Amino acid sequence: MRYFFFCLLFFATSAFAQIANDNTLTAQVDGKEFMTQPRRIKIGNFWWITANSIKPDKSLRIWLGSFNGQDALEPGTYVVVDAKDPYKKEYRKKYEDLGKYKGIAAIRYIEETREPRMEYHVGDSGNNDETIVVTTGTDGTLEATFSSKLVGTYWKEKASATVFGGVGRLVNKLEDKAITKTTGYDSDIDPEGNGYKKQSKTDEVVVTNGKVKLKIK
């Protein structure tokens, strides 16, 4: 059985070659340095700037949008809103009417707290009048600075998912971890809607001194 797992991991790491880039993201997350190469990928209907690292698996995501619900990459100041409901009418109108924001932004942080992807600590931005400042260079590079206090929640794999998923679920998680390691891309790290249950414990995830440099052209 152990040999079987190693074969699957070898296949996953061989199938996805290391994808390097010159993008950078640095931040302090709860006082610890987070530094990696971000990418821009589509999650659902929107394009997110995502930064992923391993040991443990971590993902920091940033979305920038206009007030009419479109993705945005224009320079300016974006107000950070509730990542769970970024287009809630009340505060969208409030911030748009102020006339000083280019659009809205959402931040989500995910960290594996028990391997292999058994438990997670997740942070989502709220409506705290925080901002992300975006500038763009003539070479097509986007730069952004940000800090945010995220609403922290804890997630644990459901017993039913562990039991009924069996070896297949475990193998899938190991393959996902291998893909993230070799490519830098997030592979099913988000626990929500993926066989995990949110726990009653809550806290705060503090992100400070965030800086992103991303080639978008």
Side-chain angles (χ1 to χ4, degrees), residues 183-194:
T183 69
Y185 284 95
D186 160 26
S187 185
D188 284 339
I189 191 174
D190 198 326
E192 192 165 359
N194 199 23

mmCIF file with all atom_site columns, all heavy atoms in Angstrom, residues 183-194:
data_model
loop_
_atom_site.group_PDB
_atom_site.id
_atom_site.type_symbol
_atom_site.label_atom_id
_atom_site.label_alt_id
_atom_site.label_comp_id
_atom_site.label_asym_id
_atom_site.label_entity_id
_atom_site.label_seq_id
_atom_site.pdbx_PDB_ins_code
_atom_site.Cartn_x
_atom_site.Cartn_y
_atom_site.Cartn_z
_atom_site.occupancy
_atom_site.B_iso_or_equiv
_atom_site.pdbx_formal_charge
_atom_site.auth_seq_id
_atom_site.auth_comp_id
_atom_site.auth_asym_id
_atom_site.auth_atom_id
_atom_site.pdbx_PDB_model_num
ATOM 1  N N   . THR A 1 183 ? 3.815   22.931 -8.719  1.00 0.00 ? 183 THR A N   1
ATOM 2  C CA  . THR A 1 183 ? 3.389   23.975 -9.659  1.00 0.00 ? 183 THR A CA  1
ATOM 3  C C   . THR A 1 183 ? 3.219   25.339 -9.022  1.00 0.00 ? 183 THR A C   1
ATOM 4  O O   . THR A 1 183 ? 3.255   26.352 -9.708  1.00 0.00 ? 183 THR A O   1
ATOM 5  C CB  . THR A 1 183 ? 2.048   23.604 -10.319 1.00 0.00 ? 183 THR A CB  1
ATOM 6  O OG1 . THR A 1 183 ? 1.005   23.650 -9.333  1.00 0.00 ? 183 THR A OG1 1
ATOM 7  C CG2 . THR A 1 183 ? 2.105   22.220 -10.937 1.00 0.00 ? 183 THR A CG2 1
ATOM 8  N N   . GLY A 1 184 ? 2.988   25.389 -7.701  1.00 0.00 ? 184 GLY A N   1
ATOM 9  C CA  . GLY A 1 184 ? 2.703   26.660 -7.056  1.00 0.00 ? 184 GLY A CA  1
ATOM 10 C C   . GLY A 1 184 ? 1.241   27.037 -7.121  1.00 0.00 ? 184 GLY A C   1
ATOM 11 O O   . GLY A 1 184 ? 0.822   28.040 -6.541  1.00 0.00 ? 184 GLY A O   1
ATOM 12 N N   . TYR A 1 185 ? 0.431   26.239 -7.817  1.00 0.00 ? 185 TYR A N   1
ATOM 13 C CA  . TYR A 1 185 ? -0.995  26.528 -7.927  1.00 0.00 ? 185 TYR A CA  1
ATOM 14 C C   . TYR A 1 185 ? -1.777  25.832 -6.820  1.00 0.00 ? 185 TYR A C   1
ATOM 15 O O   . TYR A 1 185 ? -1.484  24.694 -6.453  1.00 0.00 ? 185 TYR A O   1
ATOM 16 C CB  . TYR A 1 185 ? -1.535  26.073 -9.286  1.00 0.00 ? 185 TYR A CB  1
ATOM 17 C CG  . TYR A 1 185 ? -1.161  26.984 -10.419 1.00 0.00 ? 185 TYR A CG  1
ATOM 18 C CD1 . TYR A 1 185 ? -0.050  26.719 -11.209 1.00 0.00 ? 185 TYR A CD1 1
ATOM 19 C CD2 . TYR A 1 185 ? -1.908  28.126 -10.698 1.00 0.00 ? 185 TYR A CD2 1
ATOM 20 C CE1 . TYR A 1 185 ? 0.307   27.560 -12.254 1.00 0.00 ? 185 TYR A CE1 1
ATOM 21 C CE2 . TYR A 1 185 ? -1.560  28.967 -11.739 1.00 0.00 ? 185 TYR A CE2 1
ATOM 22 C CZ  . TYR A 1 185 ? -0.449  28.680 -12.514 1.00 0.00 ? 185 TYR A CZ  1
ATOM 23 O OH  . TYR A 1 185 ? -0.102  29.517 -13.538 1.00 0.00 ? 185 TYR A OH  1
ATOM 24 N N   . ASP A 1 186 ? -2.806  26.526 -6.322  1.00 0.00 ? 186 ASP A N   1
ATOM 25 C CA  . ASP A 1 186 ? -3.695  25.938 -5.332  1.00 0.00 ? 186 ASP A CA  1
ATOM 26 C C   . ASP A 1 186 ? -4.431  24.751 -5.954  1.00 0.00 ? 186 ASP A C   1
ATOM 27 O O   . ASP A 1 186 ? -4.935  24.840 -7.063  1.00 0.00 ? 186 ASP A O   1
ATOM 28 C CB  . ASP A 1 186 ? -4.691  27.010 -4.876  1.00 0.00 ? 186 ASP A CB  1
ATOM 29 C CG  . ASP A 1 186 ? -5.942  26.434 -4.234  1.00 0.00 ? 186 ASP A CG  1
ATOM 30 O OD1 . ASP A 1 186 ? -5.871  25.326 -3.690  1.00 0.00 ? 186 ASP A OD1 1
ATOM 31 O OD2 . ASP A 1 186 ? -6.975  27.107 -4.280  1.00 0.00 ? 186 ASP A OD2 1
ATOM 32 N N   . SER A 1 187 ? -4.504  23.643 -5.234  1.00 0.00 ? 187 SER A N   1
ATOM 33 C CA  . SER A 1 187 ? -5.254  22.485 -5.709  1.00 0.00 ? 187 SER A CA  1
ATOM 34 C C   . SER A 1 187 ? -6.179  22.009 -4.599  1.00 0.00 ? 187 SER A C   1
ATOM 35 O O   . SER A 1 187 ? -5.777  21.283 -3.694  1.00 0.00 ? 187 SER A O   1
ATOM 36 C CB  . SER A 1 187 ? -4.302  21.360 -6.138  1.00 0.00 ? 187 SER A CB  1
ATOM 37 O OG  . SER A 1 187 ? -5.024  20.279 -6.701  1.00 0.00 ? 187 SER A OG  1
ATOM 38 N N   . ASP A 1 188 ? -7.429  22.480 -4.643  1.00 0.00 ? 188 ASP A N   1
ATOM 39 C CA  . ASP A 1 188 ? -8.476  22.062 -3.698  1.00 0.00 ? 188 ASP A CA  1
ATOM 40 C C   . ASP A 1 188 ? -8.091  22.251 -2.238  1.00 0.00 ? 188 ASP A C   1
ATOM 41 O O   . ASP A 1 188 ? -8.344  21.382 -1.402  1.00 0.00 ? 188 ASP A O   1
ATOM 42 C CB  . ASP A 1 188 ? -8.852  20.594 -3.936  1.00 0.00 ? 188 ASP A CB  1
ATOM 43 C CG  . ASP A 1 188 ? -9.728  20.416 -5.160  1.00 0.00 ? 188 ASP A CG  1
ATOM 44 O OD1 . ASP A 1 188 ? -10.363 21.399 -5.574  1.00 0.00 ? 188 ASP A OD1 1
ATOM 45 O OD2 . ASP A 1 188 ? -9.762  19.303 -5.702  1.00 0.00 ? 188 ASP A OD2 1
ATOM 46 N N   . ILE A 1 189 ? -7.513  23.404 -1.902  1.00 0.00 ? 189 ILE A N   1
ATOM 47 C CA  . ILE A 1 189 ? -7.129  23.633 -0.511  1.00 0.00 ? 189 ILE A CA  1
ATOM 48 C C   . ILE A 1 189 ? -8.295  24.159 0.329   1.00 0.00 ? 189 ILE A C   1
ATOM 49 O O   . ILE A 1 189 ? -8.318  23.998 1.545   1.00 0.00 ? 189 ILE A O   1
ATOM 50 C CB  . ILE A 1 189 ? -5.934  24.609 -0.420  1.00 0.00 ? 189 ILE A CB  1
ATOM 51 C CG1 . ILE A 1 189 ? -5.379  24.627 1.019   1.00 0.00 ? 189 ILE A CG1 1
ATOM 52 C CG2 . ILE A 1 189 ? -6.320  26.001 -0.880  1.00 0.00 ? 189 ILE A CG2 1
ATOM 53 C CD1 . ILE A 1 189 ? -4.127  25.445 1.182   1.00 0.00 ? 189 ILE A CD1 1
ATOM 54 N N   . ASP A 1 190 ? -9.284  24.773 -0.309  1.00 0.00 ? 190 ASP A N   1
ATOM 55 C CA  . ASP A 1 190 ? -10.371 25.405 0.439   1.00 0.00 ? 190 ASP A CA  1
ATOM 56 C C   . ASP A 1 190 ? -11.285 24.348 1.062   1.00 0.00 ? 190 ASP A C   1
ATOM 57 O O   . ASP A 1 190 ? -11.841 23.505 0.358   1.00 0.00 ? 190 ASP A O   1
ATOM 58 C CB  . ASP A 1 190 ? -11.182 26.303 -0.496  1.00 0.00 ? 190 ASP A CB  1
ATOM 59 C CG  . ASP A 1 190 ? -12.021 27.315 0.265   1.00 0.00 ? 190 ASP A CG  1
ATOM 60 O OD1 . ASP A 1 190 ? -12.493 26.982 1.366   1.00 0.00 ? 190 ASP A OD1 1
ATOM 61 O OD2 . ASP A 1 190 ? -12.202 28.434 -0.243  1.00 0.00 ? 190 ASP A OD2 1
ATOM 62 N N   . PRO A 1 191 ? -11.477 24.370 2.394   1.00 0.00 ? 191 PRO A N   1
ATOM 63 C CA  . PRO A 1 191 ? -12.301 23.334 3.036   1.00 0.00 ? 191 PRO A CA  1
ATOM 64 C C   . PRO A 1 191 ? -13.803 23.525 2.850   1.00 0.00 ? 191 PRO A C   1
ATOM 65 O O   . PRO A 1 191 ? -14.564 22.560 2.948   1.00 0.00 ? 191 PRO A O   1
ATOM 66 C CB  . PRO A 1 191 ? -11.925 23.470 4.514   1.00 0.00 ? 191 PRO A CB  1
ATOM 67 C CG  . PRO A 1 191 ? -11.563 24.912 4.674   1.00 0.00 ? 191 PRO A CG  1
ATOM 68 C CD  . PRO A 1 191 ? -10.876 25.280 3.388   1.00 0.00 ? 191 PRO A CD  1
ATOM 69 N N   . GLU A 1 192 ? -14.232 24.743 2.593   1.00 0.00 ? 192 GLU A N   1
ATOM 70 C CA  . GLU A 1 192 ? -15.669 25.015 2.540   1.00 0.00 ? 192 GLU A CA  1
ATOM 71 C C   . GLU A 1 192 ? -16.328 24.271 1.377   1.00 0.00 ? 192 GLU A C   1
ATOM 72 O O   . GLU A 1 192 ? -15.901 24.366 0.232   1.00 0.00 ? 192 GLU A O   1
ATOM 73 C CB  . GLU A 1 192 ? -15.916 26.518 2.414   1.00 0.00 ? 192 GLU A CB  1
ATOM 74 C CG  . GLU A 1 192 ? -17.359 26.911 2.636   1.00 0.00 ? 192 GLU A CG  1
ATOM 75 C CD  . GLU A 1 192 ? -17.543 28.398 2.878   1.00 0.00 ? 192 GLU A CD  1
ATOM 76 O OE1 . GLU A 1 192 ? -16.532 29.129 2.899   1.00 0.00 ? 192 GLU A OE1 1
ATOM 77 O OE2 . GLU A 1 192 ? -18.689 28.820 3.055   1.00 0.00 ? 192 GLU A OE2 1
ATOM 78 N N   . GLY A 1 193 ? -17.379 23.518 1.693   1.00 0.00 ? 193 GLY A N   1
ATOM 79 C CA  . GLY A 1 193 ? -18.095 22.771 0.675   1.00 0.00 ? 193 GLY A CA  1
ATOM 80 C C   . GLY A 1 193 ? -17.331 21.581 0.135   1.00 0.00 ? 193 GLY A C   1
ATOM 81 O O   . GLY A 1 193 ? -17.645 21.061 -0.936  1.00 0.00 ? 193 GLY A O   1
ATOM 82 N N   . ASN A 1 194 ? -16.329 21.126 0.895   1.00 0.00 ? 194 ASN A N   1
ATOM 83 C CA  . ASN A 1 194 ? -15.465 20.057 0.389   1.00 0.00 ? 194 ASN A CA  1
ATOM 84 C C   . ASN A 1 194 ? -15.309 18.923 1.404   1.00 0.00 ? 194 ASN A C   1
ATOM 85 O O   . ASN A 1 194 ? -14.261 18.294 1.481   1.00 0.00 ? 194 ASN A O   1
ATOM 86 C CB  . ASN A 1 194 ? -14.098 20.642 0.023   1.00 0.00 ? 194 ASN A CB  1
ATOM 87 C CG  . ASN A 1 194 ? -13.315 19.752 -0.916  1.00 0.00 ? 194 ASN A CG  1
ATOM 88 O OD1 . ASN A 1 194 ? -13.874 18.933 -1.638  1.00 0.00 ? 194 ASN A OD1 1
ATOM 89 N ND2 . ASN A 1 194 ? -11.994 19.901 -0.901  1.00 0.00 ? 194 ASN A ND2 1
#
